[in-house]
Amino acid sequence: MEKEKQLIDVAAIRADFPILATRVNGKPLVYFDNGATSQKPQLVIDAIVNYYSHTNSNIHRGVHHLSQLATDAYEVARGKVRDFISAKSSSEIIFTKGTTEGINLVTQTWGRNYLKPGDEVVVTAMEHHANIVPWQMVCEQTGAILKVIPMDSNGELILEEAQKIISSRTRMLAMMHVSNALGTINPVEQIMEMARNVGALILLDGAQAVPHFKVDVQALDCDFYVFSAHKMFGPTGVGILYGKERILAEIPPYQGGGDMIKTVTFEKTTYNESPFKFEAGTPNIEGGIALGAAIDYMNALNHDAVIDYENSLLHYGTQALKAVEGVRIIGEAAHKVPVISFNINGIHPYDVGFILDKQGIAVRTGHHCAQPVMDFFKVPGTIRASFAFYNTTQEIDSMIDAIHLAKKMLK
Ligand SMILES: Cc1ncc(COP(=O)(O)O)c(C=O)c1O
């Protein structure tokens, strides 16, 4: 079997991630659960330790030295995020708890205030629950209707159906850029054009896109873009909502509290400008700063080499799994990130996951917060191996050996 070309120095990269040296059940850890959360390089860990060792203070409110240091570091991180996704202005970059909160912010500010009975919100058949349930909730609150673009058996969206579903009643197209359950990179440009032609707004869920390829929100011309730091080598508890400046200026705040106000009296409160208007209360300061460090880490890598290397892992893993009798790969889109969902004939995914864990191999089993996808493929769940640039073909070989073992033990 063809091994991957060493286009990046994987050994050096692995040395940056201390957790990768861990042993699990006496075996070297093989971490293939990057779709759920990625591991963190030392640079990110150090950013958190340094923050608490030298900078800790509340931001935006103090004139004292530490408060100014913390504020500067937090705002520098916001600038790094702006550049990372090529946004026009830092005022378009809102710190959130993660992708889920970003979507809930849009549904409960824009959605709650602008959707009317009979308006339609269009999502896709492969969405994560985070991009289904908040829309269902706001549809219930406003009388709007949720419509779904179907997919085919490869896990690709059906564009002719999208064209039929997106209509003059569509107010919002909210879709995932990349599928967490299937790995599909969606043809967002084509579907967004359909939405733009009918004057709908567009939200892209980029949680699984930003860890793998460069995203340019101005080139995409989406209205909102959401993602989580923890899936892109940053910390948990922090994420980003990008919104176009014009739209953020129009929509009301999300939560009320400190930082989001200009003036408060008991009679009337006036609101701060974006992004602060949407950032009530003390935020995850060290998380924002550490997200900035994760961006520094990613920027220092050769993007094209990372993409080539990850593609080689995807190809190698797919071929190796296909060679195992009884394996069914779920999601065979032409364009994928290195995520492989699969099942083994006659064996429950959890049982396979359990035996892989005994061999030190971390995969995710279950519905991956995408129950409609599991229903579509008529499976209770899948085994999902999701790779990052620090994974290797040797690790894939270990997984294949462990799968053979699981088959022997469970049949
Ligand atoms: C595509 C997608 N959207 C949304 C989410 C939710 O992200 P978070 O839990 O970080 O808010 C995930 C997490 O798995 C995801 O993969």
Side-chain angles (χ1 to χ4, degrees):
M1 202 169 292
E2 186 197 337
K3 296 268 174 185
E4 88 277 8
K5 284 183 271 168
Q6 291 289 326
L7 298 164
I8 55 175
D9 188 348
V10 182
I13 286 176
R14 288 181 69 82
D16 293 335
F17 290 78
I19 207 169
L20 296 180
T22 305
R23 293 183 81 81
V24 173
N25 294 319
K27 314 268 179 183
L29 166 69
V30 171
Y31 189 76
F32 284 167
D33 197 16
N34 296 286
T37 199
S38 62
Q39 297 301 348
K40 323 302 171 197
Q42 192 63 50
L43 191 74
V44 168
I45 300 168
D46 287 347
I48 296 169
V49 173
N50 284 338
Y51 171 75
Y52 281 118
S53 306
H54 305 294
T55 316
N56 178 48
S57 182
N58 212 335
I59 54 169
H60 296 150
R61 296 165 212 181
V63 290
H64 66 78
H65 178 68
L66 283 184
S67 179
Q68 288 191 355
L69 278 187
T71 304
D72 287 351
Y74 195 66
E75 293 307 323
V76 164
R78 194 191 303 275
K80 288 180 187 176
V81 177
R82 176 200 61 217
D83 296 344
F84 180 66
I85 56 169
S86 301
K88 213 163 49 188
S89 151
S90 290
S91 65
E92 300 178 315
I93 305 298
I94 298 161
F95 280 113
T96 63
K97 273 197 311 198
T99 306
T100 304
E101 189 178 50
I103 296 169
N104 276 277
L105 191 158
V106 174
T107 58
Q108 291 305 311
T109 54
W110 176 82
R112 189 120 189 214
N113 285 279
Y114 290 88
L115 286 171
K116 302 268 174 308
D119 285 350
E120 292 179 359
V121 172
V122 174
V123 296
T124 79
M126 60 176 81
E127 296 307 317
H128 187 282
H129 298 164
N131 200 33
I132 300 174
V133 185
W135 292 110
Q136 283 175 329
M137 290 163 73
V138 77
C139 283
E140 230 167 76
Q141 289 159 347
T142 59
I145 297 158
L146 194 66
K147 294 274 175 169
V148 184
I149 301 172
M151 64 177 157
D152 64 20
S153 58
N154 284 329
E156 294 185 324
L157 295 171
I158 305 172
L159 295 182
E160 307 80 70
E161 294 299 319
Q163 189 65 75
K164 286 185 213 151
I165 285 167
I166 296 171
S167 77
S168 58
R169 290 183 298 279
T170 307
R171 295 284 165 272
M172 171 66 80
L173 166 69
M175 67 177 289
M176 57 184 4
H177 199 166
V178 170
S179 160
N180 61 311
L182 305 169
T184 312
I185 302 174
N186 281 319
V188 287
E189 284 87 354
Q190 280 158 280
I191 302 178
M192 284 166 59
E193 194 182 337
M194 299 175 197
R196 246 182 255 117
N197 286 342
V198 296
L201 292 190
I202 297 157
L203 176 144
L204 292 182
D205 171 355
Q208 299 291 342
V210 288
H212 297 294
F213 55 82
K214 185 93 191 88
V215 167
D216 178 333
V217 289
Q218 288 193 74
L220 281 169
D221 197 23
C222 53
D223 299 289
F224 299 105
Y225 198 94
V226 287
F227 56 98
S228 300
H230 70 97
K231 294 184 196 287
M232 49 170 285
F233 318 102
T236 48
V238 65
I240 297 297
L241 164 65
Y242 157 83
K244 276 188 185 158
E245 205 163 28
R246 176 181 53 78
I247 298 170
L248 294 178
E250 275 172 25
I251 62 179
Y254 178 42
Q255 296 178 328
D259 247 22
M260 52 75 72
I261 55 93
K262 221 176 237 156
T263 59
V264 177
T265 67
F266 284 110
E267 288 70 42
K268 184 167 172 59
T269 290
T270 58
Y271 303 129
N272 208 336
E273 316 267 298
S274 181
F276 310 112
K277 175 169 112 178
F278 301 100
E279 294 181 351
T282 301
N284 182 347
I285 303 167
E286 78 283 10
I289 293 168
L291 168 56
I295 289 173
D296 290 341
Y297 187 84
M298 290 176 79
N299 283 344
L301 299 171
N302 175 335
H303 285 297
D304 293 340
V306 166
I307 289 176
D308 282 351
Y309 181 69
E310 289 192 353
N311 276 337
S312 72
L313 289 177
L314 173 65
H315 178 71
Y316 186 90
T318 305
Q319 295 310 110
L321 279 164
K322 279 187 169 170
V324 179
E325 209 194 310
V327 165
R328 173 189 175 202
I329 293 187
I330 302 200
E332 296 205 78
H335 300 287
K336 283 180 68 172
V337 296
V339 168
I340 313 177
S341 256
F342 61 99
N343 271 327
I344 302 173
N345 231 345
I347 309 180
H348 197 282
Y350 286 116
D351 296 334
V352 180
F354 183 78
I355 290 178
L356 262 53
D357 176 60
K358 293 285 167 255
Q359 302 301 311
I361 299 163
V363 291
R364 188 138 295 242
T365 54
H367 55 58
H368 317 296
C369 292
Q371 281 184 0
V373 175
M374 303 301 124
D375 293 345
F376 176 80
F377 285 101
K378 300 191 172 43
V379 291
T382 71
I383 305 151
R384 183 186 69 184
S386 51
F387 309 135
F389 48 67
Y390 43 63
N391 291 127
T392 65
T393 53
Q394 290 77 10
E395 291 180 311
I396 295 173
D397 292 343
S398 301
M399 177 178 76
I400 299 293
D401 289 346
I403 288 172
H404 283 300
L405 181 71
K407 280 182 63 179
K408 246 191 240 147
M409 289 172 72
L410 295 168
K411 282 238 161 142

